[in-house]
Amino acid sequence: AQSVTQLDSHVSVSEGTPVLLRCNYSSSYSPSLFWYVQHPNKGLQLLLKYTSAATLVKGINGFEAEFKKSETSFHLTKPSAHMSDAAEYFCVVSLYGQNFVFGPGTRLSVLP
Amino acid sequence: DAGVIQSPRHEVTEMGQEVTLRCKPISGHNSLFWYRQTMMRGLELLIYFNNNVPIDDSGMPEDRFSAKMPNASFSTLKIQPSEPRDSAVYFCASTPLWPAYNEQFFGPGTRLTVL
């Protein structure tokens, strides 16, 4: 069975400072991993995905994530937070394009 | 491509009424998922289909909920009778079965309020 843990339910950063949202997963096989963002009262938008190619994945809006198999982690980072980054972020693990398992989400607040 | 289309975008109904939510997946996508999102329970998978066939409906809360996919371009989620605790945002998502590492593409959601 697969599972996803997002270690922080809420992260607060100041505008212009780095963002780190943590995600750990459990999977018996080589999974695909995704980060989605959900702005208030909006749908879910894909930020980036890992599909067994390069371990450092670049996404939209300056976000990137690094797949570390030894640590079973897929943390999301951004060098400099912007006010528009304030949203809910979901880490997702999938096996063979099925069984998409969502983490509980991390709410990111960006302070001016 | 228009993306995943859901209708209606908002639905307000009274307890006991039947509610039907609709979803049109992206053309060529042969997996379709229904999710429910609430503040209390977060994002929950209700059911998913592969090639119009229900594969896993273990997330469907109870018999009041039913889902169908009569063809590759249309799915419905029905609640009968509706209750106030069904109030939530319902999302539909689709993905192609191959290649197997594709992400899900989400619709904008239907916000259901049951009074």
Side-chain angles (χ1 to χ4, degrees):
Chain A
Q2 303 173 107
S3 66
V4 176
T5 303
Q6 292 185 244
L7 296 161
D8 306 295
S9 60
H10 182 213
V11 170
S12 185
V13 301
S14 297
E15 189 174 23
T17 64
V19 175
L20 170 63
L21 305 183
R22 297 182 291 171
C23 171
N24 287 89
Y25 70 93
S26 172
S27 179
S28 301
Y29 303 97
S30 297
S32 298
L33 293 157
F34 310 88
W35 276 100
Y36 283 84
V37 61
Q38 185 180 29
H39 288 93
N41 300 312
K42 298 291 186 183
L44 283 83
Q45 179 185 18
L46 181 72
L47 273 179
L48 48 79
K49 65 180 179 182
Y50 166 77
T51 58
S52 76
T55 56
L56 183 61
V57 181
K58 294 187 183 299
I60 62 172
N61 300 334
F63 284 95
E64 63 181 39
E66 185 171 8
F67 173 71
K68 292 187 177 181
K69 186 174 181 178
S70 61
E71 299 177 9
T72 60
S73 70
F74 190 57
H75 300 335
L76 182 70
T77 60
K78 182 173 181 178
S80 176
H82 190 273
M83 296 295 289
S84 60
D85 295 328
E88 189 88 15
Y89 291 80
F90 295 94
C91 182
V92 183
V93 62
S94 169
L95 198 58
Y96 306 130
Q98 302 289 285
N99 300 316
F100 289 87
V101 177
F102 279 72
T106 297
R107 182 164 61 91
L108 175 65
S109 297
V110 182
L111 307 174
Chain B
D1 198 317
V4 176
I5 299 172
Q6 291 187 248
S7 65
R9 294 292 308 277
H10 301 272
E11 177 80 33
V12 180
T13 190
E14 292 189 346
M15 182 174 62
Q17 297 298 306
E18 177 180 296
V19 175
T20 299
L21 310 182
R22 297 173 175 80
C23 176
K24 176 178 169 56
I26 293 173
S27 177
H29 286 192
N30 39 15
S31 280
L32 183 140
F33 304 76
W34 282 102
Y35 290 89
R36 177 172 70 175
Q37 187 177 40
T38 61
M39 289 291 291
M40 291 296 295
R41 301 174 68 93
L43 195 65
E44 304 172 276
L45 175 65
L46 299 177
I47 185 171
Y48 79 92
F49 297 83
N50 284 349
N51 295 318
N52 314 336
V53 176
I55 301 300
D56 183 358
D57 65 354
S58 59
M60 296 286 264
E62 49 200 273
D63 293 345
R64 297 185 298 107
F65 285 68
S66 63
K68 294 183 179 180
M69 192 162 186
N71 58 61
S73 58
F74 184 65
S75 177
T76 60
L77 178 67
K78 185 176 294 186
I79 309 172
Q80 167 63 19
S82 58
E83 296 182 3
R85 60 192 169 121
D86 301 330
S87 297
V89 181
Y90 291 81
F91 288 103
C92 177
S94 71
T95 188
L97 275 172
W98 187 260
Y101 50 77
N102 274 294
E103 68 272 26
Q104 293 173 307
F105 294 78
F106 282 81
T110 294
R111 182 174 296 276
L112 173 65
T113 302
V114 183
L115 303 174

